[in-house]
Amino acid sequence: MRKQRFTVAMIVLLLVAVFYAAYWMKSLTTASADGKTVTVVLKSLNVRSDFWQTVSAGAQVAGKQAGAVIDMAGPLQENDAEAQIKALEEAIERKPQAIVVAPYAHERMPEMMQRIRDAGIRLVVIDTPLDVDPKPVFVGDDHREAGKLAGRTAVQETGSHPVAAILTDFKYSLVSEQRREGVLDTLGDFPGSVYGTYYAGDSEDRAYDVAMSLLRDNKPDFNVIVALTPATTLGAAKAIKETASGSKVRLIGFDSTIGEIQLLEEGVLNATVVQKPFNMGYLGVKAALDLLDGKSVSSTFIDSTVVSSANMYTPEIQKLLFPFIENQ
Amino acid sequence: MAKLIRNPPFPFKSIQSSISFAFSCLILASIAATTLFSYRLSVDAVQRNSQGYIEEIIKQVNTNIQSYVDNMENISLLAMTSKDVKYYISDNTFISAEERRPYEKRISDLFQSILYTRKDIASIMVFGYNGRFVSDRRITALNPYAKLEEQAWYKNARDAGGKSVLSAPHVQNIIQNEYRWVVSLSRELKSTDGITAEGVFLVDLNLSVIDAICSQINLGKKGYVFIVDSEGNIVYHPQQQLIYSNLLSERIPEVVAASSGTSFIANDRDGKRMYSVQDTNFGWKIVGVAYTDELIANSGTIRSTILAYSLVGLAVSLLLSLLLSHRLTRPIKKLQADMKMVEKGNFGIQTEIGQMNEIGQLGRTFNMMVSRIKDLMQEIIQTQENKRKNELQLLQAQINPHFLYNTLDSIVWMAEQKQHEEVVLMTSALAKLFRASITRDQELVPIRVEAEHIANYLLIQKMRYHEQLDYRIDIDDAILSYKTLKILLQPFVENAIYHGIRNKPEIGLVTIRGREDGGRIVFEVEDNGLGMTPEQLARIWMPDDEGTRRKGIGIHNVNERIQLHFGHEYGIKIRSEPENGTCVTITVPKLG
């Protein structure tokens, strides 16, 4: 009986010691970085692709802030969906805790998303929404809102009397169509403001031809061209310059390639709607990390910004237009 | 159980458990406190150290950036003092375009030679107010759309009037098709008289230099360095885009308010971090941000080391407390065990007395008590024994009255027959018998006396039953001088005659033997009478009860008497067979 009492006492003490230890261990583990791993699969890893490099930079910053390990993957060339699927397969193989992917629209993509989920990996889709069920968390630009922004800029540039020719690439391009819808949404408030929509594909030359034919025919019946892609913007600008119709026809573009920046300086391009790829990469990884923390995460849409020659050298816009500090 | 609850604080039955428990609680509490304090102290020390370390790093960053800015300043001085530059931008219209070219070449060569040695400089240019300009390149195409007068570095240099002006990082777009992130140092150039302003000099430093300095600084995994100007505008920040998008806020007002070389702690949802601020002498503030949980990078190690040590300490001290409480309670336990022995009836115990402390005194008292009890017990036993002996002596002193009557009858009868000699013999034997019975002075008599006594007795009995009884006394002469109990054999002879022989049709023989055997004296009283069945034999050993008290002295009484006197290894053995007789063996010690 006495022995038993004593053992009981010892057990109590041991338990106290164990709890004590457990308490310390717990505070120890919460203090240390929990080593989250996220693989980001982009559309291109090409160092010349400013857009994707900026996405990558944003992703890295989010990783650094959270002390997580961020892996970058993706095809070396743009528009290589097969290579991206291969990169995804390799990423699944490595079993990160989460995958952030900017997917190409490819028939095998829904299957890949399913495989990511089956492997128990958290999924965040950025840039291009995917029509898969259940819908993954999406972080990307609100293209329709960007289109509305372009439309509003067109209204401003024309003194609230816009007659717009919309120059875009393909009918089946999701992004361009959403932008177009946005533009039409805004212009819908101004009767007779839509001159027409012209599809010029993804080549600058084709866009130039289309714009030239429009400007030559034009007496002019429209006063603003809204070009929904960089290629169409450049083509339209070239046509405007050649026909010297800049005083009559305004040009609203999308994105900020170096050519567009120079056109902005020249004043041929009156305004361009610029995405924030850094924020997309940052918020995409942040959403993935939040998912890993068990928080509920909803899809995020990132605003675009209108850049004109007037604001292009303000600190904020500079950073958007020229994301990288050139290495010598 | 209720009792136990009413007895706080230690719900243990044994003192050892209570002591161990008390010790353990004390130890646990003190170790926990010590651990906590030492952890706090070491964390504080580490934090202070790393604070100093970060300040040192930021100072280093400051020095590095300062050296670049100083260099730019030196380059600007070089340009200012160059006669060619002065002459070139001075408002002298007499120089024709052709005459200008050698000047341009010389200035350009000068700039180029500077540029060759300094990879961090992006470009060096001079703009004269007279519309001329020279750069480090032979052919310079200016961006036609970049208006010089709208450039911040140009305006600020003009406003500063001869002092050098450092711009915030910006994209330099003054050269066609070039968009570089640079930091510009610009300065207005004066004519030789030092009054007339004649142009603006520009040195562009690649921002990648500052970026490299700042991004290479390692302030933990999450820490970073940023720069603000004196108004609090961000000059450089690794996460500038997040700040512009309002995804990140920086503690700008506090940074601006902080004086050089100090640091402060900010704690919000982004985590606890330390801001270390350092002023440069060109108006920038360099700020190092380090996350405190990372500062103490080895805080986990500190913690686990302290924890490991304290656990080991805990184990050791628990063990010690066990040993200590065991040592303290050991004498008590020993005493307790000895008390148990006494409880069981062993009064021969004396507990061991260690130190003369409370427990030692307790032991001494216990010993005294036990020996007192032992004495008392001895006394009681002695009294009882004496009482018993007296009783037995009384018993044996009684002469069986029937024996007396019968003997006297026989004497009368013999007298009537005129058998004088027999009368004399019997009467004298009777008288001797009586004398032996009456003398109460000694309990022990020589065997010789006892032999005489039994001879007298048998003589009388032989005279009474001469047709029925025959006897033989065979006692070794060697033992005659040893002592034995008085009237030891008579009861057995009496039993042999009355129960064994008297009712036997033929003549019976009683044999009495005495000899030494293995250091003892052994007597045998044997008869060839009726003998006894095992049941009868068993009944003999039953002590007399008051109700069935037989006449004479019972066998077991004699046995008891022997054992009282000599101890339990001595006594009586009886073996008997019906129709064959009985033999009683009496063993007594050899007493001189």
Side-chain angles (χ1 to χ4, degrees):
Chain A
M1 184 60 191
R2 205 188 55 212
K3 279 276 177 230
Q4 276 172 359
R5 285 260 155 208
F6 193 69
T7 345
V8 166
M10 279 337 286
I11 287 168
V12 166
L13 278 177
L14 250 169
L15 281 179
V16 169
V18 164
F19 279 130
Y20 185 70
Y23 167 75
W24 279 86
M25 288 297 175
K26 189 171 167 277
S27 51
L28 206 148
T29 47
T30 47
S32 69
D34 29 13
K36 290 183 189 129
T37 51
V38 179
T39 300
V40 181
V41 182
L42 301 178
K43 281 187 176 170
S44 166
L45 281 187
N46 193 336
V47 285
R48 294 188 175 282
S49 164
D50 272 359
F51 184 84
W52 293 111
Q53 288 295 301
T54 314
V55 173
S56 172
Q60 296 286 8
V61 165
K64 187 180 174 177
Q65 268 186 358
V69 179
I70 307 292
D71 270 335
M72 286 296 165
L76 285 173
Q77 296 302 320
E78 253 178 286
N79 297 318
D80 192 347
E82 298 289 339
Q84 191 186 42
I85 285 169
K86 203 154 168 276
L88 270 173
E89 279 170 343
E90 283 164 10
I92 294 168
E93 204 80 355
R94 285 198 297 273
K95 276 208 155 293
Q97 288 173 310
I99 287 181
V100 176
V101 59
Y104 282 113
H106 189 275
E107 54 188 5
R108 279 190 63 200
M109 231 18 118
E111 174 209 328
M112 292 311 297
M113 298 302 114
Q114 196 51 49
R115 275 177 61 184
I116 291 170
R117 284 177 162 145
D118 290 347
I121 300 168
R122 300 307 186 108
L123 174 67
V124 172
V125 174
I126 56 171
D127 188 55
T128 313
L130 268 190
D131 196 14
V132 290
D133 196 54
K135 274 215 171 308
V137 172
F138 175 73
V139 175
D141 296 303
D142 192 340
H143 297 298
R144 200 186 177 101
E145 199 56 51
K148 283 185 187 174
L149 204 58
R152 278 200 290 278
T153 314
V155 171
Q156 274 171 23
E157 289 286 333
T158 55
S160 298
H161 297 291
V163 182
I166 299 168
L167 203 55
T168 179
D169 51 358
F170 302 107
K171 229 180 192 128
Y172 59 78
S173 164
L174 264 173
V175 173
S176 309
E177 279 308 283
Q178 283 177 2
R179 285 174 179 167
R180 195 171 76 88
E181 281 163 22
V183 175
L184 293 178
D185 275 357
T186 313
L187 294 182
D189 298 340
F190 299 89
S193 62
V194 182
Y195 184 74
T197 301
Y198 303 91
Y199 293 94
D202 55 2
S203 93
E204 190 186 323
D205 294 339
R206 179 92 185 89
Y208 165 76
D209 292 342
V210 171
M212 275 306 261
S213 67
L214 276 175
L215 287 168
R216 264 202 295 270
D217 296 348
N218 185 20
K219 294 297 173 248
D221 291 336
F222 59 89
N223 57 8
V224 59
I225 296 176
V226 182
L228 302 183
T229 64
T232 50
T233 307
L234 290 173
K238 202 170 159 198
I240 288 172
K241 268 206 282 192
E242 279 187 17
T243 54
S245 48
S247 54
K248 291 174 281 177
V249 178
R250 319 245 96 200
L251 177 62
I252 315 292
F254 269 87
D255 289 356
S256 58
T257 59
I258 197 77
E260 285 173 286
I261 288 165
Q262 285 173 339
L263 289 171
L264 271 178
E265 285 183 331
E266 273 180 60
V268 178
L269 179 61
N270 298 91
T272 180
V273 178
V274 177
Q275 291 172 284
K276 292 176 180 168
F278 186 92
N279 292 17
M280 185 162 77
Y282 177 81
L283 292 172
V285 169
K286 214 160 160 63
L289 293 172
D290 284 351
L291 276 178
L292 290 179
D293 283 340
K295 293 180 197 161
S296 74
V297 182
S298 52
S299 294
T300 313
F301 292 97
I302 300 157
D303 293 340
S304 298
T305 305
V306 177
V307 176
S308 65
S309 57
N311 70 359
M312 67 181 290
Y313 284 105
T314 59
E316 288 91 336
I317 304 294
Q318 262 189 118
K319 201 74 193 162
L320 262 182
L321 296 184
F322 309 97
F324 293 104
I325 293 155
E326 252 176 78
N327 290 320
Q328 342 182 26
Chain B
M1 226 38 220
K3 225 183 223 169
L4 286 176
I5 289 162
R6 248 184 282 136
N7 283 341
F10 307 125
F12 302 109
K13 271 199 173 165
S14 87
I15 294 179
Q16 185 178 349
S17 315
S18 302
I19 292 176
S20 319
F21 182 74
F23 278 2
S24 307
C25 286
L26 273 175
I27 289 164
L28 207 62
S30 49
I31 283 190
T34 323
T35 312
L36 214 68
F37 280 129
S38 52
Y39 173 69
R40 271 278 125 238
L41 284 178
S42 20
V43 162
D44 282 351
V46 169
Q47 196 160 332
R48 257 198 309 281
N49 283 350
S50 27
Q51 194 167 328
Y53 163 75
I54 287 168
E55 275 167 20
E56 216 41 59
I57 286 182
I58 300 306
K59 233 177 246 173
Q60 203 57 51
V61 172
N62 184 0
T63 318
N64 283 346
I65 294 177
Q66 183 74 55
S67 80
Y68 281 107
V69 173
D70 286 349
N71 263 315
M72 287 157 78
E73 197 106 22
N74 291 341
I75 292 166
S76 74
L77 284 176
L78 202 76
M80 261 172 63
T81 49
S82 158
K83 280 204 178 86
D84 291 335
V85 171
K86 274 194 179 158
Y87 190 65
Y88 183 69
I89 59 166
S90 62
D91 195 16
N92 39 10
T93 46
F94 55 89
I95 301 182
S96 67
E98 260 133 70
E99 280 174 296
R100 252 177 16 221
R101 195 126 318 138
Y103 280 103
E104 277 175 12
K105 192 177 176 302
R106 276 210 297 279
I107 296 169
S108 191
D109 282 349
L110 171 72
F111 288 175
Q112 238 169 40
S113 64
I114 295 169
L115 214 63
Y116 276 138
T117 59
R118 310 226 26 121
K119 292 280 179 228
D120 50 303
I121 303 292
S123 58
I124 308 170
M125 297 176 95
V126 176
F127 299 90
Y129 290 157
N130 51 13
R132 298 171 198 157
F133 72 93
V134 194
S135 81
D136 54 278
R137 293 147 225 243
R138 280 287 148 73
I139 300 146
T140 314
L142 290 186
N143 184 346
Y145 307 106
K147 291 181 190 73
L148 209 54
E149 293 74 25
E150 285 172 12
Q151 302 278 334
W153 53 267
Y154 190 85
K155 282 192 284 187
N156 292 344
R158 286 184 92 162
D159 295 346
K163 283 203 193 101
S164 63
V165 176
L166 195 69
S167 79
H170 65 108
V171 173
Q172 183 61 278
N173 63 339
I174 195 78
I175 300 168
Q176 197 164 28
N177 291 330
E178 251 188 47
Y179 299 92
R180 284 202 201 189
W181 277 98
V182 295
V183 173
S184 302
L185 183 129
S186 50
R187 182 172 228 171
E188 191 169 54
L189 299 178
K190 306 267 182 187
S191 64
T192 17
D193 55 19
I195 298 161
T196 328
E198 292 184 316
V200 172
F201 174 79
L202 169 75
V203 191
D204 278 347
L205 178 75
N206 272 323
L207 185 61
S208 57
V209 171
I210 288 174
D211 184 53
I213 292 172
C214 294
S215 62
Q216 273 164 18
I217 296 304
N218 191 8
L219 299 176
K221 271 189 196 149
K222 288 149 72 180
Y224 54 89
V225 174
F226 72 93
I227 303 171
V228 295
D229 65 19
S230 48
E231 273 91 50
N233 301 314
I234 286 176
V235 169
Y236 169 85
H237 196 293
Q239 292 151 21
Q240 215 156 346
Q241 304 215 17
L242 295 179
I243 295 171
Y244 292 147
S245 307
N246 293 322
L247 290 170
L248 185 86
S249 60
E250 203 54 90
R251 301 281 180 133
I252 304 295
E254 279 144 294
V255 167
V256 173
S259 52
S260 181
T262 63
S263 50
F264 62 91
I265 302 268
N267 196 358
D268 55 26
R269 64 187 171 84
D270 291 333
K272 196 177 176 190
R273 37 199 209 286
M274 193 175 74
Y275 284 77
S276 190
V277 183
Q278 191 76 42
D279 281 354
T280 61
N281 53 12
F282 46 88
W284 288 0
K285 273 174 184 285
I286 296 165
V287 188
V289 183
Y291 286 77
T292 46
D293 56 340
E294 285 192 334
L295 275 187
I296 313 152
N298 50 356
S299 107
T301 329
I302 295 175
R303 221 179 294 205
S304 45
T305 312
I306 291 178
L307 183 64
Y309 276 120
S310 60
L311 280 181
V312 168
L314 196 67
V316 167
S317 42
L318 283 183
L319 204 71
L320 276 177
S321 85
L322 270 179
L323 283 175
L324 219 61
S325 60
H326 179 70
R327 253 190 86 83
L328 279 174
T329 54
R330 198 174 50 188
I332 301 181
K333 281 188 165 174
K334 180 89 177 65
L335 192 61
Q336 194 189 21
D338 288 345
M339 280 177 166
K340 275 250 163 73
M341 296 290 280
V342 171
E343 212 172 277
K344 280 180 187 154
N346 184 353
F347 290 96
I349 270 205
Q350 286 286 292
T351 193
E352 199 182 303
I353 295 170
Q355 287 161 305
M356 220 33 219
N357 52 17
E358 289 90 334
I359 294 165
Q361 283 173 5
L362 204 63
R364 206 183 59 164
T365 316
F366 171 75
N367 281 348
M368 279 163 64
M369 187 183 78
V370 169
S371 58
R372 182 89 185 100
I373 289 174
K374 194 180 166 191
D375 288 351
L376 285 172
M377 296 276 285
Q378 210 72 47
E379 226 167 84
I380 288 169
I381 288 168
Q382 202 62 48
T383 318
Q384 287 287 328
E385 247 173 50
N386 288 343
K387 206 176 143 197
R388 195 89 185 125
K389 273 184 193 166
N390 289 341
E391 205 173 275
L392 286 168
Q393 273 177 353
L394 206 67
L395 268 173
Q396 88 203 23
Q398 286 170 352
I399 292 288
N400 191 337
H402 291 283
F403 171 76
L404 189 57
Y405 297 154
N406 292 340
T407 312
L408 286 174
D409 267 351
S410 300
I411 292 170
V412 169
W413 184 75
M414 279 189 285
E416 278 174 358
Q417 297 286 311
K418 307 252 192 293
Q419 295 172 322
H420 303 296
E421 291 203 9
E422 280 90 344
V423 170
V424 170
L425 199 64
M426 198 155 175
T427 314
S428 74
L430 188 61
K432 276 176 190 163
L433 215 59
F434 263 103
R435 186 174 301 131
S437 297
I438 290 161
T439 49
R440 351 178 67 195
D441 47 347
Q442 285 165 304
E443 186 79 344
L444 293 173
V445 294
I447 290 175
R448 182 181 293 111
V449 175
E450 180 64 13
E452 272 169 29
H453 177 84
I454 207 68
N456 284 327
Y457 179 76
L458 274 165
L459 187 71
I460 293 168
Q461 292 293 39
K462 170 71 185 167
M463 287 168 123
R464 281 181 60 204
Y465 303 105
H466 55 96
E467 282 100 25
Q468 278 178 289
L469 172 69
D470 204 353
Y471 73 90
R472 213 166 284 156
I473 295 175
D474 177 17
I475 291 176
D476 198 342
D477 286 346
I479 65 166
L480 287 176
S481 58
Y482 295 118
K483 289 203 169 150
T484 184
L485 280 170
K486 193 169 73 174
I487 317 177
L488 178 69
L489 301 172
Q490 190 196 319
F492 303 105
V493 177
E494 200 175 316
N495 281 340
I497 293 166
Y498 289 143
H499 302 297
I501 290 168
R502 201 171 59 180
N503 299 324
K504 193 185 169 186
E506 314 94 68
I507 188 159
L509 175 68
V510 175
T511 315
I512 292 153
R513 282 184 284 269
R515 63 191 151 80
E516 191 192 334
D517 183 16
R520 299 169 167 193
I521 306 287
V522 179
F523 293 108
E524 275 178 357
V525 178
E526 190 177 3
D527 68 77
N528 57 356
L530 294 174
M532 284 178 282
T533 61
E535 294 82 49
Q536 286 174 310
L537 196 59
R539 216 173 302 138
I540 283 180
W541 286 109
M542 292 213 280
D544 317 332
D545 346 308
E546 292 301 312
T548 63
R549 182 160 194 140
R550 291 171 311 176
K551 53 185 190 286
I553 299 161
I555 297 295
H556 107 272
N557 282 343
V558 179
N559 194 37
E560 194 181 77
R561 194 172 151 221
I562 293 169
Q563 290 183 346
L564 271 176
H565 264 283
F566 304 126
H568 284 271
E569 62 265 49
Y570 303 103
I572 293 163
K573 260 182 231 146
I574 301 173
R575 104 190 112 76
S576 181
E577 265 176 65
E579 309 302 324
N580 271 339
T582 306
C583 179
V584 182
T585 311
I586 305 129
T587 318
V588 295
K590 204 167 98 179
L591 289 173

